[in-house]
Amino acid sequence: MNSKKDFVDEQFLREIMELHGKALLKLVYSYVKNWSSAEDIVQETFITFSQKYDQFEGKSTLKTWLFQIGVNKSKDFLRSPKNKLYQFTLGKISAFSKEKGAEERVIEKDDSYLIANCLFKLPLKYREVLNLFYYEELSIKEIAEVLSISESNVKIRLSRGREKFRHVYIKEVMEHGGKVDQIKGLIG
């Protein structure tokens, strides 16, 4: 990159956004659990990417570096006072709306919704490695780079995360009248 420029080339940025935008949005959403906030964080991630691209050393893949920026921004958002106020308000609203509409009941029947719902019930440190490994198909080494943890820590979190997911998933299926023997192949 030319050191006289403050940002990356617009065409290059568009290509990177097209290539990694959806995956980054899903990853960020898995942290913040709100599409609007996730979209804002992804925008911030691409702005930071364009401003700091000259600092990219190539020690990891571009995707891994971009995901690391997104993860850090997501964690910053989760620690922010703005998010804490939003979560408090959301909790109050959901306490008043106990009855579910027909559309919500149909969505809940969907397996992908059930899986996502179960993932969101896991602690963040397990949810993030499961998401990066299974949905983003990153290697253990790449996950370690994105999260700035050791590869052995990634392996431990994957193992514990799978076990915690298994328990949550079985509980959810049982509560909704499903049969556990139908899901054994899915959760190993």
Side-chain angles (χ1 to χ4, degrees):
M1 180 173 171
N2 187 343
S3 61
K4 293 180 183 179
K5 291 184 181 179
D6 291 333
F7 294 92
V8 297
D9 176 69
E10 185 178 335
Q11 181 60 34
F12 177 65
L13 181 59
R14 287 180 193 268
E15 289 172 12
I16 296 300
M17 290 171 71
E18 182 68 30
L19 188 61
H20 300 297
K22 287 181 183 177
L24 183 61
L25 180 60
K26 288 179 188 176
L27 175 64
V28 170
Y29 178 78
S30 75
Y31 280 84
V32 300
K33 302 179 187 178
N34 177 283
W35 284 112
S36 179
S37 298
E39 289 170 343
D40 290 345
I41 292 169
V42 168
Q43 277 186 329
E44 290 176 25
T45 300
F46 282 118
I47 290 169
T48 300
F49 167 82
S50 69
Q51 291 171 336
K52 297 189 177 196
Y53 180 70
D54 61 333
Q55 296 174 13
F56 178 62
E57 298 174 355
K59 293 180 181 177
S60 64
T61 66
L62 198 57
K63 178 180 178 180
T64 302
W65 189 64
L66 186 63
F67 278 18
Q68 187 173 30
I69 295 169
V71 165
N72 289 337
K73 292 208 170 284
S74 298
K75 288 180 177 181
D76 289 345
F77 173 81
L78 291 173
R79 288 189 290 264
S80 73
K82 176 183 173 183
N83 176 55
K84 294 191 186 317
L85 177 63
Y86 171 77
Q87 292 298 328
F88 177 74
T89 306
L90 188 64
K92 289 228 177 234
I93 291 170
S94 65
F96 291 109
S97 59
K98 292 183 179 178
E99 196 167 315
K100 296 179 182 173
E103 184 177 327
E104 287 180 18
R105 288 191 300 265
V106 169
I107 291 172
E108 283 185 348
K109 300 287 183 191
D110 188 17
D111 285 339
S112 61
Y113 176 82
L114 179 61
I115 291 169
N117 189 39
C118 291
L119 277 174
F120 282 127
K121 290 184 177 185
L122 297 179
L124 179 61
K125 69 181 186 178
Y126 301 121
R127 186 173 67 235
E128 66 189 354
V129 294
L130 290 172
N131 185 32
L132 290 169
F133 188 78
Y134 289 106
Y135 289 106
E136 302 308 327
E137 299 179 351
L138 296 183
S139 68
I140 289 175
K141 181 180 179 181
E142 290 172 322
I143 295 169
E145 290 171 10
V146 167
L147 300 177
S148 301
I149 60 176
S150 69
E151 289 181 38
S152 60
N153 200 339
V154 171
K155 291 176 186 176
I156 290 168
R157 288 184 186 186
L158 269 174
S159 177
R160 290 179 182 166
R162 286 182 192 119
E163 187 62 30
K164 289 184 180 298
F165 177 81
R166 180 179 292 116
H167 290 297
V168 170
Y169 191 83
I170 289 172
K171 181 180 176 187
E172 286 293 313
V173 169
M174 297 299 282
E175 286 179 4
H176 293 93
K179 295 182 180 176
V180 176
D181 60 332
Q182 295 172 336
I183 62 166
K184 286 188 178 175
L186 177 66
I187 58 175

